[in-house]
């Protein structure tokens, strides 16, 4: 397994729609394992393939005791509304309040290539919607009001110089470093 570099805002792949997976191969299982390792190193709760420079329709989530790799995930049921302050591993130190469905049911293929369903509320629901957005080239910024988006982009202007190649290379120790904004790590998706 390997920790992969994370693409940051400005990398074109974050705006591209991903490609459906036709078969869950060993290579894709290895990619999912690397994505889990990368997500954990970054103290995130979700990570989508474009965030590691890949165009497959794949994301991983880990919220509480739920841990799953999802190939070709789609939301098949939604219920209610929730507002959550989201961050993104690809837009470090930038946060914004987003309205999402409070509860979702997702259908996907698992690591064994078989279909399964996953239901989530609160953070897991937010995470699933955020990651599936990534697979469609969407970012949480797109859900912010005009003023909040402008504020978030201004904050990012200060941050982006830390990532000259639009890549975030994680180092051992990043996991335990407190975020300077004081936000909890579990808000990064
Ligand atoms: Ni994200």
């Amino acid at each position: 397994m390997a920790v992969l570099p994370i693409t940051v805002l400005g990398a074109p792949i974050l705006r591209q729609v991903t490609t459906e997976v036709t078969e869950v191969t060993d290579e894709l299982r290895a990619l999912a394992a690397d994505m889990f390792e990368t997500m954990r190193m970054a103290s995130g709760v979700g990570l989508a393939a474009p965030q590691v420079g890949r165009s497959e329709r794949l994301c991983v989530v880990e919220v509480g005791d739920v841990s799953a790799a999802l190939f070709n995930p789609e939301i098949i049921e939604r219920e209610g509304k929730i507002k959550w302050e989201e961050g993104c591993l690809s837009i470090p130190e930038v946060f914004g309040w987003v309205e999402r469905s409070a509860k979702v049911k997702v259908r996907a293929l698992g690591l064994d290539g078989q279909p399964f369903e996953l239901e989530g509320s609160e953070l897991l629901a937010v995470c699933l919607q955020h990651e599936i957005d990534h697979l469609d080239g969407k970012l949480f910024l797109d859900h912010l009001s005009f003023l909040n988006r402008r504020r978030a982009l201004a904050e990012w202007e200060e941050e982006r110089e830390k990532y000259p190649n639009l890549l975030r290379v994680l180092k051992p120790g990043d996991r335990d470093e407190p975020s300077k904004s004081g936000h909890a790590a579990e808000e990064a998706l």
Side-chain angles (χ1 to χ4, degrees):
M1 286 203 292
V3 173
L4 306 171
I6 296 176
T7 53
V8 299
L9 184 61
I13 196 159
L14 289 175
R15 288 308 195 175
Q16 288 161 15
V17 178
T18 52
T19 308
E20 291 247 325
V21 169
T22 50
E23 193 195 346
V24 178
T25 59
D26 285 345
E27 197 270 330
L28 290 178
R29 276 186 278 271
L31 172 61
D34 288 347
M35 287 170 61
F36 271 115
E37 198 177 354
T38 305
M39 172 181 68
R40 288 170 188 149
M41 176 73 87
S43 298
V45 294
L47 187 68
Q51 295 182 276
V52 292
R54 297 284 295 243
S55 56
E56 289 89 350
R57 208 162 179 81
L58 160 66
C59 64
V60 296
V61 300
E62 196 159 66
V63 175
D65 54 4
V66 175
S67 181
L70 302 104
F71 295 89
N72 305 338
E74 53 176 328
I75 295 170
I76 54 173
E77 277 178 42
R78 302 174 173 272
E79 208 183 296
K81 293 278 172 219
I82 191 172
K83 275 200 164 175
W84 204 275
E85 192 176 29
E86 294 184 24
C88 180
L89 294 177
S90 292
I91 320 171
E93 300 295 337
V94 177
F95 299 86
W97 287 90
V98 177
E99 188 176 275
R100 303 275 191 185
S101 299
K103 205 171 157 187
V104 293
K105 188 190 275 186
V106 170
R107 182 179 294 150
L109 299 180
L111 288 168
D112 58 1
Q114 296 303 307
F116 72 102
E117 289 179 2
L118 179 60
E119 224 178 276
S121 57
E122 301 200 324
L123 180 57
L124 181 55
V126 169
C127 182
L128 287 165
Q129 291 167 86
H130 179 116
E131 301 314 325
I132 291 171
D133 266 2
H134 270 302
L135 301 179
D136 291 320
K138 289 188 203 149
L139 301 170
F140 82 86
L141 300 178
D142 307 341
H143 295 283
L144 302 182
S145 66
F146 175 76
L147 286 176
N148 282 339
R149 185 161 56 243
R150 199 166 66 174
R151 186 224 2 110
L153 288 173
E155 285 172 9
W156 173 245
E157 277 311 304
E158 313 258 299
E159 289 295 318
R160 71 178 302 163
E161 61 195 33
K162 296 179 190 165
Y163 310 97
N165 300 312
L166 298 175
L167 285 178
R168 177 181 179 193
V169 179
L170 299 162
K171 303 175 299 296
D174 281 358
R175 195 185 163 86
D176 304 315
E177 232 169 71
S179 156
K180 77 159 202 251
S181 58
H183 281 78
E186 67 262 20
E187 287 152 356
L189 307 145

